[in-house]
Amino acid sequence: MSPRAALLGGVLAAALLLSACSTQSAGEYNPGTGLGPLPSFELATLEDPDVTVSSDSWVGMPTVINFWATWCEFCIEEMPALQEASETLAGRVRFVGIDRQDPREDALAFLAETGVTYEQLASPAGEPYTQLGSRGMPTTLFVDADGVVAYRHTGPLTAELVLELAATHLGVEG
């Protein structure tokens, strides 16, 4: 076998291996990449623990989901930026905050303090944060109108960066 044929055979084998390794079943979220269909989950609203919201109800509109907590300094810093971006993109992108592990009263006081008005849900046990394979706070997901996580960002965001990411990953200009 010629060196060229051996090289071509090796490249072909590597391509097939990579293809097999990156295959993802339809309807399965891949926490390793942070991408794929958003898993279905249901959480109570912070305002009224008797009212629940299902992530399935968000399909149809691009959605920015931000996991935060009052004990997370970076979360506190980015809240005004997320509020600003939510106002800029109002009616075109839904914003949802998911509080992780705070007592409800603390979370509500924090929201009143920061002036955040977009939808807020409670996740006292830390789900779906862990289900989504998140590692670090804050974590923000950019979910397209079809319910697919198009991008996951870990760390604080500025309003400008939220608008840039919404344009790039959700196709919505600020």
Side-chain angles (χ1 to χ4, degrees):
M1 178 184 303
S2 73
R4 185 174 184 175
L7 178 63
L8 183 58
V11 169
L12 200 63
L16 288 171
L17 180 62
L18 284 174
S19 170
C21 291
S22 64
T23 300
Q24 184 176 343
S25 302
E28 183 181 329
Y29 177 79
N30 183 345
T33 64
L35 305 177
L38 183 68
S40 182
F41 57 87
E42 195 169 292
L43 296 172
T45 66
L46 267 175
E47 295 77 23
D48 185 348
D50 294 329
V51 175
T52 60
V53 175
S54 169
S55 60
D56 297 335
S57 70
W58 302 332
V59 174
M61 178 180 273
T63 303
V64 172
I65 303 169
N66 175 255
F67 292 96
W68 63 273
T70 60
W71 45 262
C72 166
E73 182 135 350
F74 291 127
C75 301
I76 294 166
E77 289 175 17
E78 82 172 351
M79 285 302 233
L82 289 166
Q83 178 64 31
E84 181 182 333
S86 76
E87 291 170 5
T88 301
L89 298 172
R92 297 177 290 148
V93 175
R94 173 185 289 109
F95 278 71
V96 178
I98 300 179
D99 173 57
R100 284 192 58 221
Q101 304 171 326
D102 283 315
R104 185 173 169 272
E105 300 76 27
D106 293 352
L108 289 171
F110 172 73
L111 292 172
E113 223 175 87
T114 60
V116 170
T117 59
Y118 54 88
E119 184 177 9
Q120 296 292 326
L121 305 176
S123 180
E127 291 290 341
Y129 175 84
T130 53
Q131 177 187 9
L132 292 163
S134 298
R135 297 183 191 126
M137 293 284 288
T139 293
T140 306
L141 305 176
F142 290 76
V143 182
D144 69 21
D146 295 325
V148 175
V149 179
Y151 183 75
R152 175 172 61 186
H153 181 89
T154 302
L157 292 163
T158 63
E160 294 77 22
L161 185 53
V162 172
L163 297 177
E164 181 183 314
L165 293 170
T168 300
H169 299 287
L170 305 178
V172 180
E173 297 291 329

